[in-house]
């Protein structure tokens, strides 16, 4: 029953019970942490055979000695393995080091300071450089913009992806908007999958926006579904091809949540012209990526079928954790008016939307009883959620038992904050 | 005998013989390459046990699961292993990814665009930013400056390191000079080791130069001696401590020429304040370096004794290659007035100084008979050697047989160019 339909007496009774439960929980001295999207120990162990997998053979298929210098854009067999993840061809992908975040930062820094097409094209030549940030979104994307002095404009995230009406309007009006951040499949944090129409409209932005506009398409969870048959993402590359906008999209991916987080392989895909320009820029910074680790990944994952089989093992480990949270939310909060969420079919997050103005309060209530949640606001540019209502839940890392305990504590904090707020609104706080 | 003391007839006779030999060599269709300082295949094979060395154990000594996210500055045991290479303490070192060039680029970019001590301190706030480049030097250092729009001023490289009289004069006169590039032990390409006095004066520059001046101290060959008892480098860190200039030096090193080139571990050392600022900057770009590879390196190299033993094996492989070149130069060119060189006790290069205006000619003569040398000029800012007389020889990668054949062809080209020039000068060309 929706709390707005409950009597003050009923609310007050509930509040008393909730406060008692909260005190009991406080006495338990919990130490739970649902803050970051880290794979669990059982997940990373799925790739333990990586170390030693080469069996003493350090040759790539083209004869390259992977132990030595050379090659800025990655091994051919690594390109062949990972290109399908981004729907790219092998001449449209570059295989880098261990971090897709590094590739993203580098692309932004390149476009801003050096220029995608020479110094004349550098975004930094303009006094103002702006970026569109669908909210809620990923704090590390926003941090790159903030660190590099790029002004962020929020646009709403719908269940179909960014609100493209808003995006197209802004982009058409303001040529200083130079890009947009996207996590198109199992969006961080809402878990939505961008619709076919959204992807097509993102691909078309390159026609409508100012020069050298970039869709930063962080496909971090490209193959990270929890269920067979989870919604697929259409290929943005194919739409770009159709619209003649291949230069306007950089796609990113990595094996951070396929093999080892922090010791995997990252990659990016874009037009051959963008790749050539970016590779030249990379050449000033590096003599090349770790090709030994690329070869290890090829040996472990082999091909698309190998990746699928590997990801099914991840899904088997992640599913119970997600289902524990979602079942608890459903049982305790559905139709209560105390919050909303999607049930993601993949990715690493559940985004919980509280009643307006309660996210910080819920996080703070949880913290006080030993339950660490991602700071409220982290999902928004500059760390400010104007409606103070988004909380990101990341159930992958803790044990199933801890995930369940956290979910229980979380709903208690949500109820406590919501009922207090409702009573307050009725002048009975 | 010095060619300047030879009669025209004697020179003409020699020229005729040289031209005949050159034609014979041209007929051999050589395909030799002495261009880059790559370790040989036998050298990288010394570390083949790296892959698989963990034996399934992915825990660092502090319990960190190296397969997962976390930690921007490297594993404690990796700090302990590599800090002594740079004469740094463990709280003065950061262990990064596979490339020290990436760390150098990143430090320069950080100081230039973001600021070592906040936005006010960014070099880029000034219209002009200049760097001192001892010449001959390393092309990739110079390329970073050129790419980032930093103006380069050449200073002479002496056998004791950079000409510190020139350096101190320039730095005192011009506060827009923000740094100097150094390869202090077995300098690239001359092979010299900076003298105690040079190191002390470099450490003192922080007192004399403008604000936020940086000595970029690329100690790439810190432990790469060819002979036991090779000249040691005094600790610049200890001099900095004495002068209160710890903030003015960033030291760099890597295992690129200890284990695998391109799949090793890079590191930098500086003051705790610099490290804190730089680590924060890194945090926008990465979730951390590849800790699995760091742990592998600790297992392989273990401690300073382990590194020494490993480097002795490298020396055994490199020594004959260096000695083949040096013996050939000595036998064919000593006291002929046709060139000068040092006999390095370590590192990866021999720098040959031709008579003025002949470096490009020699490289071109060599190229015409299938012998690839580093392009003349590469050792100087903007690729321009004003005296056109430095050629960098890199004997590490080819087989000993090929190194010998290249040295023979090289001295032939040097003689040919020198005698032609001498005859030309006497009006008998």
């Amino acid at each position: 029953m929706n709390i707005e339909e409950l009597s003050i007496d009923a609310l007050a009774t509930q509040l008393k019970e909730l406060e008692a439960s909260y005190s009991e929980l406080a006495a338990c001295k919990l130490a739970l942490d649902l803050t970051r999207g880290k794979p669990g120990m059982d997940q990373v162990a799925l790739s333990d055979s990586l170390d030693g997998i080469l069996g003493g053979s350090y040759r790539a298929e083209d004869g390259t000695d992977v132990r030595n210098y050379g090659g800025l854009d990655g091994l051919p067999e690594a390109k062949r393995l990972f290109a399908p993840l981004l729907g790219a061809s092998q001449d449209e992908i570059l295989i880098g080091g261990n971090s897709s975040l590094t590739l993203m930062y580098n692309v932004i820094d390149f476009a801003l300071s050096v220029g995608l097409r020479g110094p004349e094209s550098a975004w930094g030549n303009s006094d103002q450089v702006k970026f569109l940030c669908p909210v809620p979104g990923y704090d590390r994307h926003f941090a790159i913009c903030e660190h590099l002095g790029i002004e962020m404009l929020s646009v709403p995230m719908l269940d179909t992806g960014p609100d493209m009406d808003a995006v197209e309007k802004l982009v058409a009006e303001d040529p200083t908007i130079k890009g947009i951040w996207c996590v198109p499949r199992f969006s961080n944090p809402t878990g939505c999958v961008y619709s076919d129409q959204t992807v097509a409209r993102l691909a078309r932005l390159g026609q409508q926006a100012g020069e050298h506009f970039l869709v930063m398409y962080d496909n971090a969870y490209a193959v990270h579904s929890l269920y067979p048959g989870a919604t697929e993402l259409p290929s943005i590359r194919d739409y770009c091809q159709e619209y003649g906008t291949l230069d306007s999209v950089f796609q990113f991916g990595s094996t951070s949540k396929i093999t080892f987080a922090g010791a995997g392989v990252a990659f990016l895909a874009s037009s051959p012209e963008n790749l050539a320009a970016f590779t030249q820029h990379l050449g000033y910074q590096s003599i090349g990526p770790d090709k030994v680790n690329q070869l290890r990944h090829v040996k472990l994952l082999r091909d698309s079928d190998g990746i699928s089989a590997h990801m099914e093992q991840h899904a088997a480990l992640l599913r119970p954790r997600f289902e524990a949270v979602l079942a608890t939310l459903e049982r305790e909060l559905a139709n209560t008016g105390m919050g909303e969420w999607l049930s993601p079919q993949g990715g690493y997050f559940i985004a919980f939307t509280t009643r307006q103005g309660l996210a910080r309060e819920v996080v703070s209530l949880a913290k006080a009883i030993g339950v660490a949640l991602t700071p409220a606001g982290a999902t928004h540019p500059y760390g400010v959620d104007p409606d103070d209502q988004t909380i990101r839940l990341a159930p992958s890392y803790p044990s199933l038992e801890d995930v369940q305990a956290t979910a229980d504590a979380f709903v208690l904090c949500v109820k406590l904050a919501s009922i207090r707020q409702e009573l307050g609104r009725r002048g009975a706080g």
Side-chain angles (χ1 to χ4, degrees), chain A:
Chain A
M1 197 167 171
N2 194 304
I3 57 168
E4 292 179 20
E5 294 160 20
L6 290 177
S7 68
I8 291 186
D9 278 356
L11 289 170
T13 307
Q14 275 205 26
L15 182 60
K16 217 169 164 185
E17 289 168 16
L18 290 166
E19 283 174 341
S21 305
Y22 185 77
S23 298
E24 274 171 41
L25 217 51
C28 295
K29 307 237 173 270
L30 300 173
L32 302 168
D33 188 332
L34 229 64
T35 54
R36 294 231 66 104
K38 285 170 70 166
M41 275 184 288
D42 43 6
Q43 289 185 266
V44 291
L46 295 173
S47 303
D48 272 359
S49 66
L50 268 178
D51 186 58
I53 202 164
L54 298 180
S57 170
Y58 289 94
R59 289 280 170 186
E61 62 183 23
D62 63 358
T64 299
D65 184 339
V66 295
R67 300 166 299 186
N68 222 319
Y69 290 123
L72 279 166
D73 56 348
L75 297 178
E77 53 265 64
K79 292 183 182 186
R80 195 168 60 235
L81 175 62
F82 294 120
L85 260 75
L86 301 181
S89 68
Q90 288 170 54
D91 62 345
E92 293 169 338
I93 192 163
L94 174 148
I95 317 291
N98 73 323
S99 165
S100 59
L101 192 73
T102 300
L103 291 174
M104 290 177 230
Y105 183 95
N106 213 333
V107 166
I108 297 274
D109 191 41
F110 175 51
L112 182 71
S113 307
V114 177
L116 290 165
R117 293 292 180 276
E120 301 294 304
S121 68
W123 296 342
N125 294 334
S126 160
D127 285 342
Q128 274 200 312
V129 181
K130 298 177 196 153
F131 238 74
L132 297 183
C133 300
V135 292
Y138 179 34
D139 55 351
R140 286 183 176 272
H141 290 162
F142 304 156
I144 290 175
C145 283
E146 192 170 358
H147 188 59
L148 294 174
I150 296 173
E151 186 184 336
M152 291 178 273
L153 304 178
S154 296
V155 291
M157 178 70 90
L158 311 178
D159 294 353
T160 53
D163 178 343
M164 291 308 296
D165 290 342
V167 167
E168 287 166 359
K169 187 163 176 293
L170 284 162
V171 153
E173 284 168 4
D174 187 349
T176 70
I177 295 174
K178 289 303 179 193
I180 182 170
W181 286 111
C182 297
V183 181
R185 194 173 192 224
F186 312 128
S187 163
N188 178 351
T190 72
C192 79
V193 180
Y194 290 13
S195 70
D196 187 81
Q197 212 195 13
T198 299
V199 173
R201 289 168 78 177
L202 284 166
R204 212 164 45 211
L205 284 180
Q207 292 179 347
Q208 302 150 356
E211 274 198 313
H212 309 299
F213 178 92
L214 289 186
V215 178
M216 295 290 287
Y217 204 75
D218 180 5
N219 205 346
Y221 311 107
V223 291
H224 303 58
S225 56
L226 293 169
Y227 302 95
T231 313
E232 297 286 341
L233 190 71
S235 162
I236 193 166
R237 185 243 170 234
D238 291 350
Y239 279 119
C240 286
Q241 175 103 317
E242 186 181 333
Y243 298 135
T245 55
L246 284 167
D247 287 346
S248 72
V249 177
F250 270 93
Q251 295 192 69
F252 302 89
S254 81
T255 69
S256 292
K257 289 172 183 115
I258 296 177
T259 58
F260 291 163
V265 168
F267 34 89
L268 66 75
S270 192
S271 70
E273 292 71 21
N274 279 350
L275 281 195
F278 182 69
T279 305
Q280 196 196 17
H281 175 66
L282 265 188
Y284 292 98
Q285 303 173 41
S286 168
I287 306 197
D290 181 342
K291 298 185 294 293
V292 175
N293 208 32
Q294 292 187 6
L295 194 57
R296 283 191 195 103
H297 276 74
V298 171
K299 298 277 179 203
L300 180 75
L301 300 170
R302 293 191 313 278
D303 54 24
S304 294
D305 287 345
I307 292 177
S308 297
H310 192 81
M311 294 314 291
E312 276 171 29
Q313 298 184 68
H314 279 288
L317 296 167
L318 281 172
R319 256 193 318 262
R321 292 173 164 93
F322 271 77
E323 289 175 355
V325 176
L326 291 167
T328 307
L329 295 178
E330 185 67 28
R331 188 182 63 238
E332 301 291 327
L333 298 174
N335 307 313
T336 64
M338 293 195 273
E340 290 175 2
W341 61 93
L342 292 181
S343 295
Q345 295 183 287
Y348 269 66
F349 303 104
I350 297 162
F352 185 86
T353 308
T354 66
R355 286 158 63 102
Q356 247 189 355
L358 285 191
R360 274 183 300 180
E361 173 66 11
V362 169
V363 171
S364 156
L365 282 169
K367 191 180 177 184
I369 54 169
V371 177
L373 301 173
T374 307
T379 52
H380 284 64
Y382 310 107
V384 178
D385 173 2
D387 294 319
D388 187 24
Q389 58 179 12
T390 307
I391 297 173
R392 186 181 83 166
L393 303 174
S396 55
Y397 189 71
S399 67
L400 181 56
E401 193 185 351
D402 282 358
V403 168
Q404 185 59 62
T406 310
D408 292 336
F410 177 73
V411 296
L412 176 62
C413 295
V414 170
K415 287 180 182 176
L416 199 53
S418 303
I419 290 177
R420 279 181 184 159
Q421 187 193 53
E422 182 62 24
L423 281 168
R425 281 189 186 166
R426 299 199 207 167

